[in-house]
């Protein structure tokens, strides 16, 4: 772990005279044996990445590429070690995390797992992406591309989501000021690999015609809908497990059974991602 970067993150907190540890309380409902609902209050805190979170992060990463075997442990280690940029949401004195955001410079990280991820993207793009040549052109300068990884449990309170993205924005702004030579300050694009769903009935109605209407989709992470408005390249394809009954929960639609699962890959300019964070906050408040 880069201790110097860790100290820089701590220094940023000390330099902000008005800063306090970010803490959010989220009430959740659970069922006991008598099938009675009981409300429990949880205090969430936003934390720097560290190796104690490894197993929790690896669990998120295991399904990152449709369940395809890849070096998920290696990716989890990279995420945990990058202290200067990345935010985890969890509980005080607990190693498990409930969600996180981070950006990895794909042109700077010397790791086989990055090659595996890029191979996956390129293979799927050749098959399903009408903008494949544009994607290839952008990928000619990999040091300008960040792999944006944004994962969380399905029932995480939506009001926590803008905070995760704003924390990432603060990290980027801080790095540009304090460590401008850092490769993470020189990115132009973010590469996103995520999920979306469509109702079975709706799929039958639209499968005979080509459609790119985002309103046809249910997004596992609602902010993908916001970011996709500004994407420069995007494509989707049926997930390998899409024939099985799926279930997705989010704050817009509590429960959806029998979903058709799509994998969704898109590129968005970093400046547009940062600008769209404000729209995530508005979306939550609606």
């Amino acid at each position: 772990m880069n201790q110097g970067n860790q100290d820089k993150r701590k220094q940023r907190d000390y330099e902000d005279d008005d800063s306090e540890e970010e803490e959010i309380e989220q009430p959740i409902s659970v069922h006991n044996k008598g099938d009675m609902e009981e409300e429990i209050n949880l205090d969430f805190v936003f934390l720097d990445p560290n190796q104690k979170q490894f197993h929790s992060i690896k669990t998120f990463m295991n399904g990152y590429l449709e369940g395809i075997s890849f070096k998920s442990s290696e990716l989890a280690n990279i995420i945990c070690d990058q202290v200067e940029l990345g935010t985890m949401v969890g509980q005080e004195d607990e190693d498990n995390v409930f969600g996180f955001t981070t950006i990895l410079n794909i042109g700077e990280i010397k790791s086989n797992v990055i090659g595996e991820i890029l191979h996956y993207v390129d293979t799927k793009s050749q098959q399903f992406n009408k903008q494949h040549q544009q994607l290839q052109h952008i990928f000619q300068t990999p040091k300008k591309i960040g792999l944006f990884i944004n994962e969380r449990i399905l029932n995480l309170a939506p009001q926590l989501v803008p905070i995760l993205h704003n924390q990432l924005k603060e990290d980027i702004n801080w790095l540009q000021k304090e460590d401008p030579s850092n490769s993470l300050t020189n990115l132009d694009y973010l590469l996103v690999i995520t999920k979306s769903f469509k109702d079975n009935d709706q799929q039958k109605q639209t499968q005979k015609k080509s459609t790119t209407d985002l309103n046809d989709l249910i997004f596992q992470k609602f902010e993908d809908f916001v970011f996709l408005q500004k994407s420069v390249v995007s494509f989707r394809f049926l997930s390998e497990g899409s024939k099985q009954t799926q279930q997705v929960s989010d704050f817009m639609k509590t429960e959806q059974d029998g979903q058709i699962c799509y994998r969704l890959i898109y590129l968005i300019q970093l400046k547009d991602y940062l600008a769209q964070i404000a729209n995530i906050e508005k979306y939550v408040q609606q």
Side-chain angles (χ1 to χ4, degrees):
M1 179 180 291
N2 190 329
Q3 187 63 40
N5 287 333
Q6 186 178 31
D7 291 340
K8 289 177 184 177
R9 285 290 298 274
K10 290 178 180 178
Q11 179 184 355
R12 186 188 72 187
D13 293 337
Y14 293 138
E15 286 173 349
D16 185 356
D17 293 335
D18 297 325
S19 68
E20 296 179 357
E21 186 176 40
E22 196 78 55
E23 185 169 312
I24 300 292
E25 184 177 280
Q26 175 198 10
I28 63 172
S29 295
V30 297
H31 294 278
N32 61 21
K33 291 183 179 179
D35 203 28
M36 299 289 290
E37 286 195 355
E38 177 184 356
E39 188 174 87
I40 297 177
N41 289 327
L42 295 179
D43 293 330
F44 289 108
V45 293
F46 293 85
L47 309 163
D48 286 345
N50 67 74
Q51 275 295 331
K52 291 181 180 180
Q53 303 156 346
F54 169 80
H55 293 290
S56 189
I57 298 302
K58 185 178 184 300
T59 299
F60 280 109
M61 292 294 93
N62 283 339
Y64 186 58
L65 301 183
E66 297 187 90
I68 294 173
S69 178
F70 77 109
K71 295 179 176 63
S72 57
S73 293
E74 196 171 315
L75 182 59
N77 267 320
I78 293 170
I79 293 169
C80 291
D81 281 343
Q82 185 176 272
V83 180
E84 67 268 38
L85 194 153
T87 297
M88 313 288 167
V89 58
Q91 290 182 274
E92 193 69 50
D93 301 323
E94 295 287 341
D95 296 336
N96 289 331
V97 299
F98 301 112
F100 70 95
T101 57
T102 192
I103 297 172
L104 308 176
N105 188 316
I106 65 172
E108 289 290 333
I109 296 174
K110 308 303 180 184
S111 167
N112 290 332
V113 70
I114 298 299
E116 290 178 326
I117 293 170
L118 295 181
H119 176 73
Y120 171 84
V121 171
D122 182 66
T123 300
K124 296 299 184 182
S125 179
Q126 289 183 52
Q127 292 179 275
F128 304 106
N129 182 17
K130 295 180 179 179
Q131 301 169 290
H132 179 63
Q133 289 187 340
Q134 185 178 355
L135 184 75
Q136 283 186 313
H137 176 73
I138 293 172
F139 269 56
Q140 288 177 1
T141 53
K143 290 184 179 181
K144 294 287 188 177
I145 303 170
L147 179 63
F148 176 57
I149 304 179
N150 173 34
E151 299 292 334
R152 60 179 180 268
I153 60 174
L154 291 178
N155 61 348
L156 189 71
Q159 62 264 31
L160 301 180
V161 175
I163 300 174
L164 274 169
H165 291 286
N166 273 312
Q167 290 290 313
L168 204 60
K169 182 177 181 179
E170 288 183 15
D171 285 351
I172 293 170
N173 290 339
W174 183 84
L175 275 173
Q176 289 173 341
K177 178 182 177 182
E178 299 294 332
D179 190 9
S181 64
N182 191 301
S183 64
L184 291 167
T185 66
N186 197 32
L187 299 174
D188 288 336
Y189 295 93
L190 299 182
L191 170 65
V192 185
I193 304 172
T194 186
K195 291 181 184 179
S196 61
F197 296 83
K198 183 180 286 189
D199 288 329
N200 272 321
D201 292 341
Q202 192 175 41
Q203 168 69 11
K204 292 176 183 178
Q205 293 171 8
T206 60
Q207 63 186 176
K208 294 183 180 180
K209 61 180 180 179
S210 175
T211 178
T212 56
D213 187 358
L214 299 180
N215 292 317
D216 288 347
L217 299 176
I218 300 168
F219 293 90
Q220 184 170 359
K221 293 179 285 289
F222 67 88
E223 64 269 35
D224 283 324
F225 177 83
V226 177
F227 297 145
L228 274 165
Q229 314 300 316
K230 296 294 183 179
S231 65
V232 294
V233 175
S234 68
F235 62 98
R236 69 177 187 259
F237 48 92
L238 285 174
S239 174
E240 292 294 326
S242 62
K243 293 181 180 179
Q244 301 175 2
T245 298
Q246 304 281 350
Q247 186 179 75
V248 59
S249 299
D250 59 28
F251 85 102
M252 294 179 292
K253 295 189 176 182
T254 306
E255 236 179 63
Q256 296 291 332
D257 295 325
Q259 300 292 335
I260 298 296
C261 181
Y262 286 88
R263 291 288 166 157
L264 179 63
I265 297 176
Y266 63 92
L267 277 171
I268 183 173
Q269 288 189 298
L270 176 61
K271 63 180 180 64
D272 289 331
Y273 161 73
L274 297 175
Q276 288 293 87
I277 292 175
N279 289 328
I280 297 175
E281 296 173 336
K282 295 176 183 177
Y283 202 81
V284 172
Q285 293 168 2
Q286 289 178 355

